[in-house]
């Protein structure tokens, strides 16, 4: 570490006004009850849990974050591994629940080498293994005697699972499977926890019996020796190298050269091979398998609001402190203006602040929809009725619920993760030059989050699922079928009123704003349907329309869920009228800003007039920014992020921005230990690269 | 380095079709004369120069790039310094010109520790130093005996130079300046080449004479010992720490504790202190100083097309190789479709491909405008006429030319650098999962480029300069003054025709597309003027409108310059009709895609009808994507990037994508040398963090 600074430097303080003073003033200007709102958002139990776990982690040197932004790839990985081990120990010692464990992971806020073991490896063994296989693999895995990963993606194949090249050939002679990689592109790739950590893998491979392919199936394969941790024979495995982010995780590659595994290593709960007849055993319930992806997508939607809120918290606090230039019209020309007072900053940050709340409430609704579906599935499992039995609250056929869940999770995953990722970059830039420093805490967080826009379904690809669902729904409406859910209801409503046209009072009625979003979605749906069914346009030609359609529909869902939350009984019960009123302003800001950003679709569909959009842009949004501005800092405080979690100089709760930047740069920065020879013509020193 | 792979791995090849085959086919499908187009874009001299310099660098181990994506911060900095020294040696030995030196820098493609010495330090000494000061400082600096930086930005102050806190107090008793940092926020911050490398700095400090402040002025201060390279007494200097990118550069901090420097160290070409009278000497030509910023902004515009083209080259080549799923309507259902055939990919990548050409031609036009202005300034200098003498080609007052140059450089810098930065991220994501790997070559390049959107004027702040200029121009039109340049011409045209309205045939007439952009700009200008002058709205309230206005005006300039280039005589002379026709398609794609993306402004202004926009979106753009698609690979080839410069697995000219990814991951990746203990409960090994 660098030497301490001289005395005269230690005496220096920032020129006034001090950041701590400014944030105090900000908090003084608003009477928003932060505690009340936090509790409404997360509940007392979760908030108490976070504080309790935080104490444990903060006091454990294994989780000291001070070198996170400085260390290189290898060091960062080794530190992350040490933390993963420590967390496993603490978790076991305190016998932490799933929620407690993930609260810790969330606070540590870095991808860890046990990440895929704890999630997909255990989950797949659990869900797709037989009771015998649970004994064989799952129990050891739970005790970290087996450490595993989920090996699906390959160098040459991502989203299209059917295109996987790795094969598992059934050998009737000795009742084994031969796992093999016929090509370089068959190499497993991007597999989390595989590069250096895992000794087992669930490998997705094309099952082949007697020369006939049966599609991808899961196989448990040991890949490293349990004593030496060296790769087993005919297995070539390693880390795939540095990435834009996620460098604390050892994403790996994996090749097999005719590796034999016993019959019992094929996860056989849903399908398998009969060792006596050498025949394939048909899968019983494919829907459950595909349920896993839906759960992951729903979780991504659930988390998106919080992911974005970290960036918004940092940017709002710093922009309340950072002062630059003077308002040209300001009477008092002493001192500079906090940048958060500039409309150009407000229109970027406060709209994202509104988006964090919008995404949070939509995430909750998404999860409820998922639970509802699970209930339906379980009900059906116990009843052993039709494979997709109707859910309790759902009068329509269950298939309808499943399809709706699938489309909703695809559309919202795409919109929510794109909004969060792009929003974080907006927050980083809103911090000006200092946003570029790692100490801002936004860049590294953004870089680690980015893959979310690609995995579990690329955000562009996914929109086709939504379009397919909406086109199907629109066809049913044209066939005169009665509405079975909200989607068919809004489509039917549009279809009956389309000639009369709409006249929504978006200026004053919140429910009319929701209706305008529903109208636009419905219009785009029937337009797309006409292109496809009447004009017979190719699917490929329509992909851009489908993307717009999915986006429009998902924005409708977000606006609808936000409005529904504010109208719900428990909201009025848990929140004061002032707080609810402020949330209504955030609702309008999110909805109206979205509306004017997508203006052309709103008036083309006749949902709004050009005049209405001009008024929204020039007046309504501007007024909302002005009204929300005084509450900005308290509204981010309500997200309740501990400084330890944010690990940001700019986002500190106490506003000591410049002191912290300077401390990290001068005292924690290893490069300041290096003395160099700056001259180009010193041959001797040149050899040493210094 | 990791051990070589086993024999059975070495034998593996990608499953067909091979990337090399696919790129051959792509190039076979188009007859675009790549050489001819490259020469038209860059000229023979520059192309020959690049090949010549490339040979020198490739054959020198100092510039070996193979560990760039793996090394940590300290190693990367040390390597970058070694390269900077080596380049200085080679440059001197071969007596390279400015162009040759910067061709090398461009090929090396990483910020280096001499970066700010070679540019701002030398430039400031040159432009603001007297002949005596050139002898004192510049000559030594040119020989790298003094290595310097330009220290302006401070921890607490960025864009607003007048707010700088560092002071230079004139001491009449001993005719010295006392350089001092009164606060922590006065610390210089972000200063390139300062952290570890520089031994001198040009420090911008508030000049104070006899208690009276005279604003920021440049002072030459030695900061490190020339023998030991240790900081001098009462100077605290170091590196500011890791950043989102730019980590090969040692951006630094710098604090002064009453450091005395002699009178001769104030750069005195334009202003100074008379040591006898102790009086301030007024600046003679402020416009020249401010000319430097304009030059840097113009260069940013000039480079933006090439910056973006690197990402587009990589993404287009990889998307022509990467295959995923099948076109749902495709007759032939064998094999998967190259993703570049998907409309959703085309609408992202081919529009950016068009943007690279649009930005390139605008960059050239920007530079010509700058040169024209320089001629005017020089002419005036020789004539010693009024401080802003008229330029040769310019009949209007020179002030008009200067103001136009300033506004144009601000608006285009903002639009061009935002387009390039955001476009690179679009390219990265279009590569799917592999785009996230550092081996894609896009992420690291994007991360290094990002500060360009903030420095030399934040891209949001700058738009106010454009708005101010346009409002002034509009007022002159309302006052009935005759047009003096293109801006006042289009405003006057709109003003006279505004009641008749427009009827542009954007479907078939290229010049009408340009006119539609001019109309929209003019409409937004007079709207903003009404808000400001009639409705008396505050400047702050209008910032969002000003941003839109600047963006609209800059897009008009890009479209106008693109069209002008294609209509120019030399273009027809140098390019075949087929090539010109293809460039016209790129022009239309850029213009029409921009038009439909900004649809609401185009019909609100009456530049287009809603119907025209729907047709543009649904038909015109889609047809252009289809027509340009076969030429995509050749169109990126014309940008003529050597593989060595791109340093990308995905963007290789020969298409050996997967072989290269696998080689880098398995053979160059240091993490694969590390064997760990994966179990959480091995106390002994836990100590070692492994």
């Amino acid at each position: 570490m660098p030497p301490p600074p001289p005395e005269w430097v230690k005496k220096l303080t920032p020129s006034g006004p001090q950041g701590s003073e400014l944030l105090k003033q900000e908090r003084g200007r608003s009477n928003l009850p932060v505690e009340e709102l936090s509790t409404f958002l997360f509940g007392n139990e979760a908030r108490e849990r976070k504080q309790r776990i935080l104490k444990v982690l903060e006091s454990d040197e294994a989780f000291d974050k001070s070198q996170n932004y400085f260390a290189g790839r290898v060091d960062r990985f080794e530190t992350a591994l040490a933390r993963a081990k420590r967390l496993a120990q603490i978790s076991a010692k305190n016998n932490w629940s799933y929620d407690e464990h993930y609260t810790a992971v969330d606070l540590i806020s870095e991808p860890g080498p046990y990440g895929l073991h704890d999630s997909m490896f255990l989950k797949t063994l659990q869900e797709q293994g037989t009771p015998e296989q649970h004994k064989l693999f799952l129990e050891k895995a739970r005790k970290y005697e087996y450490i595993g990963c989920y090996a699906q993606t390959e160098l040459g194949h991502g989203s299209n699972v059917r295109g996987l090249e790795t094969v598992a050939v059934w050998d009737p002679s000795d009742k084994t499977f031969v796992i093999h990689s016929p090509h370089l592109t068959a190499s497993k790739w991007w597999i989390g926890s595989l590069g250096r950590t895992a000794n087992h893998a669930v490998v997705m491979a094309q099952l082949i019996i007697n020369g006939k392919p049966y599609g991808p199936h899961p196989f448990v394969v040991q890949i490293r020796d349990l004593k030496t941790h060296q790769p087993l024979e005919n297995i070539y495995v390693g880390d795939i190298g540095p990435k834009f982010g996620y460098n604390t995780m050892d994403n790996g590659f994996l090749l097999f050269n005719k590796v034999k595994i016993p019959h019992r290593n094929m996860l056989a709960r849903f399908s398998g091979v009969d060792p006596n007849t050498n025949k394939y055993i048909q899968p019983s319930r494919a829907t459950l398998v595909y349920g896993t992806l839906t759960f992951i997508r729903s979780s991504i939607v659930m988390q998106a609001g919080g992911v974005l809120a970290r960036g918004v918290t940092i940017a709002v606090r710093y922009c309340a402190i950072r002062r630059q230039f003077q308002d040209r019209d300001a009477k008092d020309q002493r001192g500079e203006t906090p940048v958060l007072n500039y409309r150009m900053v407000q229109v970027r940050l406060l709209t994202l602040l509104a988006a964090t709340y919008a995404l949070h409430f939509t995430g909750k609704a998404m999860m409820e929809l998922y639970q509802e579906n699970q209930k339906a599935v379980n009900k059906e499992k116990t009843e052993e009725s039709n494979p997709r039995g109707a859910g309790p609250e759902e009068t329509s056929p269950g298939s309808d619920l499943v399809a709706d869940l699938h489309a909703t999770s695809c559309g919202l995953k795409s919109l929510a993760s794109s909004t969060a990722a792009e929003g974080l970059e907006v927050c980083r830039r809103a911090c000006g030059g200092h946003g570029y420093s790692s100490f801002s805490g936004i860049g590294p967080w953004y870089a680690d989050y980015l893959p979310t826009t690609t995995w579990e379904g690329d955000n562009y690809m996914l929109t086709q699922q939504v379009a397919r669902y909406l086109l199907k729904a629109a066809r049913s409406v044209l066939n005169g079928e009665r509405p079975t859910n909200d989607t068919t209801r809004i489509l039917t409503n549009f279809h009956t009123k389309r000639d009369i046209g709409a006249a929504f009072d978006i200026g004053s009625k919140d429910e009319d704003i929701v209706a305008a979003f529903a109208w636009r979605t419905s219009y785009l749906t029937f337009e797309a349907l006409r292109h496809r069914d009447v004009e017979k346009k190719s699917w490929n030609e329509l992909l851009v329309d489908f993307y717009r359609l999915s986006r429009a529909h998902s924005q409708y869902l977000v606006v609808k869920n936000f409005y529904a939350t504010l109208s719900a009984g428990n909201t009025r019960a848990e929140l004061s009228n002032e707080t609810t009123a402020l949330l209504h302003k955030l609702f309008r800001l999110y909805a109206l800003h979205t509306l004017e950003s997508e203006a052309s679709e709103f008036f083309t569909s006749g949902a709004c007039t050009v005049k209405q959009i001009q008024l929204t842009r020039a007046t309504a949004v501007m007024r909302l920014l002005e009204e929300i501005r005084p509450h900005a800092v308290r509204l981010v405080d309500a997200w309740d992020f501990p400084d330890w979690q944010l690990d940001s100089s700019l986002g500190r709760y106490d506003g000591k921005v410049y002191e912290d930047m300077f401390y990290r740069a001068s005292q924690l920065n290893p490069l300041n230990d290096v003395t160099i020879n700056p001259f180009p013509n010193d041959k001797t020193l040149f050899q040493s690269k210094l």
Side-chain angles (χ1 to χ4, degrees), chain A:
Chain A
M1 286 302 96
E7 286 311 312
W8 62 270
V9 170
K10 290 186 188 152
K11 291 201 195 75
L12 292 171
T13 60
S15 58
Q18 301 299 316
S20 44
E21 272 316 303
L22 294 165
L23 286 193
K24 264 203 211 78
Q25 290 164 22
E26 287 283 345
R27 292 177 176 120
R29 271 192 220 98
S30 163
N31 52 12
L32 175 71
V34 172
E35 289 286 311
E36 172 192 295
L37 183 52
S38 280
T39 307
F40 174 72
L41 293 174
F42 310 110
N44 273 322
E45 190 192 341
R47 295 189 62 210
E48 170 280 324
R49 186 193 310 129
K50 184 160 71 178
Q51 290 311 319
R52 183 162 44 80
I53 305 282
L54 177 62
K55 280 198 190 57
V56 178
L57 300 177
E58 272 179 324
S59 61
D60 189 321
E61 63 157 17
F63 303 108
D64 166 32
K65 295 184 174 185
S66 61
Q67 279 298 305
N68 278 7
Y69 295 141
F70 300 99
R73 174 95 205 280
V74 174
D75 288 343
R76 286 220 67 189
F77 168 71
E78 292 175 355
T79 309
L81 178 63
R83 289 170 182 168
K85 291 177 178 186
R86 188 76 186 118
L87 180 59
Q89 295 164 352
I90 299 176
S91 210
K93 190 169 109 256
N94 303 315
N95 185 6
W96 272 348
S97 67
Y98 176 94
D99 285 343
E100 288 171 314
H101 182 85
Y102 276 95
T103 301
V105 170
D106 192 38
L107 287 166
I108 294 166
S109 296
E110 77 182 8
Y114 285 172
L116 273 285
H117 170 91
D118 292 339
S119 57
M120 283 301 280
F121 186 61
L122 293 180
K123 199 171 178 56
T124 312
L125 292 176
Q126 170 72 55
E127 289 190 352
Q128 306 200 35
T130 60
E132 307 71 52
Q133 292 174 317
H134 289 171
K135 278 200 184 45
L136 265 171
F137 308 116
L138 184 57
E139 287 178 12
K140 289 199 175 64
R142 288 222 173 97
K143 287 179 278 175
Y144 292 94
E145 288 165 23
Y146 289 174
I147 293 165
C149 58
Y150 180 79
Q152 178 170 302
T153 304
E154 295 175 355
L155 181 54
H157 279 86
S159 313
N160 186 7
V161 180
R162 280 180 306 154
L164 293 177
E165 296 179 10
T166 306
V167 291
V169 182
W170 173 247
D171 182 342
S173 67
D174 59 2
K175 311 297 178 188
T176 60
F177 296 100
V178 181
I179 311 291
H180 185 61
S181 316
H183 302 286
L184 190 67
T185 38
S187 176
K188 295 299 178 182
W189 205 266
W190 285 112
I191 312 307
S193 307
L194 168 66
R196 307 318 289 154
T197 310
N199 50 35
H200 281 69
V202 168
V203 175
M204 291 299 282
Q206 304 283 358
L207 172 63
I208 295 175
I209 306 171
N210 189 14
K212 185 162 178 280
Y214 289 85
H217 288 72
F219 300 84
V220 178
V221 186
Q222 181 176 348
I223 55 173
R224 286 186 173 102
D225 182 88
L226 297 180
K227 296 263 165 300
T228 65
H229 201 59
Q230 292 302 315
L232 299 181
E233 204 189 350
N234 290 314
I235 286 177
Y236 190 57
V237 58
D239 173 271
I240 63 165
K243 297 143 290 187
F244 197 63
Y246 236 74
N247 286 309
T248 45
M249 170 64 88
D250 55 324
N251 298 84
F253 64 80
L254 178 61
L255 281 163
F256 300 97
N257 184 33
K258 304 208 169 75
V259 174
K260 269 187 179 292
I261 59 168
H263 175 268
R264 61 166 186 274
N265 284 33
M266 175 178 183
L267 292 177
R269 178 166 169 213
F270 299 114
S271 59
V273 176
D274 181 327
N276 309 315
T277 64
N278 301 313
K279 291 257 178 315
Y280 180 63
I281 301 161
Q282 290 293 339
S284 61
R285 257 193 216 76
T287 51
L288 290 187
V289 183
Y290 131 126
T292 310
L293 255 183
T294 311
F295 173 76
I296 297 174
R297 288 195 190 115
S298 306
S299 319
I300 290 173
V301 179
M302 180 70 238
Q303 291 150 8
V307 167
L308 177 57
R310 286 173 62 138
V312 174
T313 300
I314 292 166
V316 164
R317 285 176 182 166
Y318 177 55
C319 288
I321 291 169
R322 179 182 175 216
R323 297 166 122 56
Q324 202 179 41
F325 296 102
Q326 287 153 340
D327 182 336
R328 282 172 55 113
D329 303 310
K331 305 281 152 291
D332 172 8
Q333 287 293 337
R334 283 166 301 137
E336 299 181 272
T337 311
V339 295
L340 193 54
N341 289 359
Y342 289 112
R343 276 284 191 284
M344 198 63 234
V345 173
Q346 291 173 1
V347 81
R348 286 179 283 159
L349 286 187
L350 300 187
T351 51
L352 284 175
L353 175 59
T356 62
Y357 283 86
L359 291 176
H360 181 74
F361 297 132
T362 275
K364 283 184 155 182
M366 178 78 245
M367 270 303 171
E368 280 155 22
L369 185 64
Y370 177 81
Q371 304 304 352
E372 191 186 309
N373 180 72
Q374 285 304 92
K375 267 194 243 141
V377 172
N378 298 335
K379 188 149 172 287
E380 157 254 318
K381 262 200 288 181
T382 52
E383 289 170 356
E384 286 305 332
S385 69
N386 74 73
R388 293 204 193 108
E393 285 81 42
E394 186 57 75
T395 55
S396 66
S399 63
D400 188 72
L401 179 61
V402 172
D404 184 59
L405 174 70
H406 175 66
T408 306
S409 68
C410 289
L412 285 178
K413 184 270 180 181
S414 176
L415 178 67
S417 59
S418 291
T419 305
E422 278 141 34
L424 283 173
E425 175 61 10
V426 171
C427 294
R428 195 189 62 72
R429 290 192 204 177
C431 296
H434 291 339
Y436 194 61
S437 165
S438 300
F439 306 149
S440 76
I442 303 177
W445 176 245
Y446 165 75
D448 282 349
Y449 184 70
L450 268 180
T452 314
T453 63
T454 310
W455 65 32
E456 317 310 346
D458 170 272
N459 282 2
Y460 289 101
M461 302 285 300
L462 279 179
T463 59
Q464 296 181 58
Q465 306 293 323
V466 185
R468 190 175 290 116
Y469 169 72
L470 289 174
L471 292 188
K472 192 159 164 292
R475 288 193 190 99
S476 77
V477 170
L478 292 184
N479 297 338
E481 295 172 25
R482 69 175 183 80
T484 55
N485 61 18
D486 181 68
T487 306
T488 38
R489 264 188 289 278
I490 64 168
L491 290 174
T492 307
N493 175 60
F494 172 86
H495 188 60
T496 48
K497 300 208 184 116
R498 69 194 183 286
D499 300 329
I500 315 153
F504 302 116
D505 179 5
I506 60 170
S508 48
K509 290 215 195 76
D510 286 2
E511 61 271 36
D512 274 27
I513 296 175
V514 180
F517 275 82
W519 186 272
R520 164 207 183 204
T521 299
S522 308
Y523 169 83
L524 292 175
T525 305
F526 284 106
E527 278 294 291
L529 188 66
R530 189 168 52 76
H531 293 321
R532 182 64 175 167
D533 290 3
V534 181
E535 298 166 7
K536 304 288 180 202
K537 283 197 179 177
S538 75
W539 188 262
N540 190 17
E541 261 180 302
L542 292 172
L543 289 180
V544 180
D545 294 3
F546 292 162
Y547 173 76
R548 295 171 157 280
L549 174 56
S550 170
R551 190 176 164 81
H553 181 61
S554 306
Q555 287 170 339
Y556 158 68
L557 293 174
V558 174
V559 167
K560 184 188 75 168
N561 292 327
F562 201 155
Y563 180 69
T565 306
L566 297 185
S567 320
N570 69 308
T571 307
R572 312 208 161 288
E574 294 174 38
L575 294 178
S576 66
N577 294 342
E578 294 72 12
T579 308
T580 315
L582 184 55
L583 289 181
H584 264 283
K585 286 178 180 164
L586 288 173
F587 162 78
R588 274 199 293 280
L589 181 58
Y590 175 79
L592 294 179
H593 177 66
T594 304
L595 184 145
E596 63 110 346
S597 311
E598 314 273 357
S600 76
E601 289 177 3
F602 277 90
F603 65 72
T604 316
S605 68
C608 308
T609 64
V610 173
K611 187 74 196 154
Q612 281 180 307
I613 286 158
Q614 284 174 308
L615 281 174
T616 303
R617 187 172 284 161
T619 314
V621 169
M622 290 302 143
R623 195 182 309 117
L624 286 164
L625 293 175
E626 213 169 334
E627 292 170 353
I628 291 164
R629 164 66 184 92
H631 308 286
V633 170
R634 279 179 176 250
L635 279 167
V636 298
D637 287 349
W639 273 97
D640 198 21
F641 290 109
D643 282 344
W644 192 82
Q645 183 177 19
L646 292 179
D647 195 14
S648 164
S649 296
L650 305 182
R652 287 172 63 99
Y653 185 89
D654 67 6
K656 293 187 183 299
V657 168
Y658 299 117
E659 296 91 326
D660 196 56
M661 288 276 282
F662 193 80
Y663 169 73
R664 292 182 189 238
S666 60
Q667 295 307 291
L668 301 178
N669 183 0
L671 188 57
N672 288 327
D673 260 352
V674 180
T675 304
I676 61 136
N677 173 314
F679 305 109
N681 298 312
D682 185 321
K683 289 278 171 287
T684 57
L685 278 163
F686 175 75
Q687 299 311 323
S688 75
K689 289 209 314 183
L690 296 157

